[in-house]
Amino acid sequence: MKRHLYTADHEAFRESVREFVAREVVPHHERWDEQRHVDRETWVSAGKQGLVGLSGPEEHGGGGMFRDYRYRNVLLEELATAYAGGLASSFSLQDDILIPYFAELGTPEQQARWLPRLCSGELIAAIAMTEPGTGSDLQGIRTSGKKVDGGWVVNGAKTFITSGIQSDLVVVVTRTDPDGGRNAFSLLVVERDMPGFSRGRQLKKIGLPAQDTAELVFEDVFVPEDNLLGVEGGGLAQLKAMLPLERLSIAAQGIAVADAVIATTLEYTTEREAFGQPISDFQNTRFQLAELATEADVTRAYIDQCILAWNDGDLTDVDAAKAKWWATDMQTRVVDRALQLHGGYGYMVEYPVARAYQDARVQKIYGGTNEIMKHIIGGAMVRGARSEK
């Protein structure tokens, strides 16, 4: 079926991305996996080529594409073909979460101070929500910000923080009012060299090794009032408003990886022989390939519609939740079955499908677990049914 998502401009952008991936990604991503982070030079190179900062305002050096996610989707698709999941995830954090936070919530002074270097790749940002023992329960956050003259003193710890080691700016979800209920939390920007801010362990994961993930520790960190992002007490509402884009990003990554895995598996099964014929000539293989391709095609149709809905400004949190849970479940199913078609070679890390298998599992966890996505969808359905009575 012909796809109608992209224009000629997007396809021209794709050629630029492919050149970048061939030059700056393919020769290095195995080394990034071993060192457990992407070279900072790669971030700066991506910034110079306009591949980081796509969502940033043009007046601050960004691409001005916040409401045209098709450019970001092109980048995800091309990184998926190189199986550079760690880089794709790190760039998504910057462009689909952090830059929009600063652009949408920041004061003019904050935007001028931070956005140009975030868009150029010179600054790497992180968001610190999860704590030991909290998981998806953001209201259980204990990291505290005590109000003092000129700002807050922050104490606490965060874990599972993407770009935790390399980050220059960390948006910390902080309890600034012990008795404030849902209005108890604020977003405070902690900078790399602030006294009392330190990195804990760099965490070893079963997938996405090039995506650096760490624990963060805050011990009497003074955060000035100028580093409050958005409004005091508005943290949870601000987080919720930005979640649809984050979940769309995860869903888009899911279908991009599934497409790449199917293409790799088709190539492998047509070249690999067993019992005197290509594996692709066996009926079971063809049935499996047909099922994988159909699942991916149907999923892509929905994700493409979600991208267009985002561009039009009407992607709901329920739509995004559906996209996130379905696409990531589909991704893990496709990758698992594709690995099976590779036989023993699929279990060898030098084969791309093995890397995809390792990287896929977290997709159903971060951005809100898929169980939380179903809770959001089901809750909206029940509320809608009750309101009609």
Side-chain angles (χ1 to χ4, degrees):
M1 183 179 295
K2 185 176 181 180
R3 196 177 183 193
H4 299 281
L5 183 65
Y6 298 120
T7 69
D9 288 342
H10 299 105
E11 296 302 340
F13 177 70
R14 187 184 300 277
E15 292 304 313
S16 177
V17 175
R18 283 178 177 168
E19 187 275 331
F20 173 84
V21 170
R23 185 187 73 247
E24 301 283 356
V25 178
V26 172
H28 305 296
H29 69 67
E30 288 189 11
R31 176 172 56 81
W32 297 338
D33 285 352
E34 293 173 0
Q35 70 188 24
R36 293 193 289 148
H37 68 266
V38 175
D39 299 333
R40 292 189 75 103
E41 293 80 6
T42 304
W43 284 84
V44 174
S45 179
K48 288 179 179 177
Q49 200 159 324
L51 308 187
V52 172
L54 281 164
S55 65
E58 291 182 90
E59 62 268 27
H60 293 298
M65 301 301 176
F66 181 61
R67 284 298 176 183
D68 189 351
Y69 195 77
R70 291 173 293 182
Y71 288 96
R72 281 281 303 125
N73 204 54
V74 166
L75 181 60
L76 289 175
E77 289 175 346
E78 294 305 315
L79 289 174
T81 64
Y83 290 89
L87 181 64
S89 180
S90 298
F91 279 3
S92 292
L93 176 71
Q94 187 94 342
D95 241 307
D96 298 337
I97 302 177
L98 274 309
I99 287 176
Y101 269 72
F102 286 100
E104 297 295 308
L105 302 175
T107 65
E109 292 76 16
Q110 289 173 332
Q111 292 176 5
R113 179 181 171 192
W114 289 317
L115 276 174
R117 287 186 294 161
L118 287 170
C119 292
S120 70
E122 296 171 84
L123 288 181
I124 299 173
I127 184 162
M129 291 187 276
T130 306
E131 298 181 1
T134 62
S136 297
D137 179 18
L138 295 183
Q139 294 194 57
I141 285 173
R142 295 185 177 183
T143 296
S144 64
K146 182 180 179 181
K147 195 75 173 74
V148 296
D149 289 343
W152 296 266
V153 174
V154 176
N155 283 281
K158 301 288 185 177
T159 193
F160 307 145
I161 307 306
T162 300
S163 297
I165 296 296
Q166 290 190 297
S167 53
D168 304 290
L169 304 174
V170 181
V171 177
V172 183
V173 184
T174 310
R175 184 180 289 273
T176 50
D177 182 352
D179 304 312
R182 291 189 62 83
N183 297 321
F185 303 95
S186 304
L187 306 182
L188 303 180
V189 181
V190 174
E191 301 179 61
R192 170 177 287 279
D193 296 324
M194 285 182 169
F197 171 41
S198 61
R199 325 280 166 153
R201 295 180 302 148
Q202 182 171 2
L203 302 172
K204 293 183 178 180
K205 313 185 296 293
I206 64 173
L208 297 175
Q211 175 211 66
D212 98 66
T213 307
E215 299 171 331
L216 304 180
V217 180
F218 308 92
E219 297 176 308
D220 292 331
V221 180
F222 174 72
V223 180
E225 291 179 350
D226 288 345
N227 283 33
L228 170 67
L229 191 61
V231 298
E232 184 175 356
L236 290 186
Q238 290 163 179
L239 290 171
K240 183 179 179 181
M242 305 301 288
L243 282 173
L245 178 57
E246 177 182 358
R247 290 167 179 165
L248 173 61
S249 172
I250 297 169
Q253 175 73 358
I255 183 58
V257 170
D259 282 342
V261 167
I262 292 168
T264 298
T265 303
L266 178 60
E267 180 181 6
Y268 176 83
T269 56
T270 56
E271 294 177 352
R272 174 74 173 169
E273 291 192 356
F275 304 102
Q277 64 182 21
I279 296 173
S280 59
D281 286 351
F282 290 101
Q283 185 184 63
N284 179 68
T285 302
R286 293 190 177 188
F287 281 8
Q288 291 291 323
L289 290 171
E291 291 173 10
L292 299 183
T294 303
E295 282 198 53
D297 285 352
V298 173
T299 301
R300 189 186 313 104
Y302 183 73
I303 302 304
D304 283 359
Q305 289 303 306
C306 286
I307 290 171
L308 295 176
W310 170 262
N311 291 354
D312 291 339
D314 57 12
L315 180 69
T316 69
D317 57 345
V318 173
D319 293 336
K322 291 176 180 177
K324 193 270 181 186
W325 93 256
W326 180 264
T328 58
D329 262 27
M330 180 277 307
Q331 176 189 359
T332 54
R333 287 195 306 272
V334 165
V335 172
D336 181 71
R337 292 159 70 187
L339 188 151
Q340 190 73 14
L341 288 173
H342 282 71
Y345 289 104
Y347 203 64
M348 302 297 107
V349 293
E350 64 262 31
Y351 279 75
V353 71
R355 179 182 289 115
Y357 183 84
Q358 292 173 315
D359 291 350
R361 188 57 184 85
V362 74
Q363 287 271 91
K364 299 199 292 185
I365 298 173
Y366 58 19
T369 65
N370 283 5
E371 290 75 19
I372 293 293
M373 299 303 99
K374 294 174 186 179
H375 179 73
I376 292 169
I377 298 162
M381 292 173 66
V382 171
R383 288 190 298 274
R386 287 174 177 168
S387 68
E388 292 176 1
K389 291 182 180 180

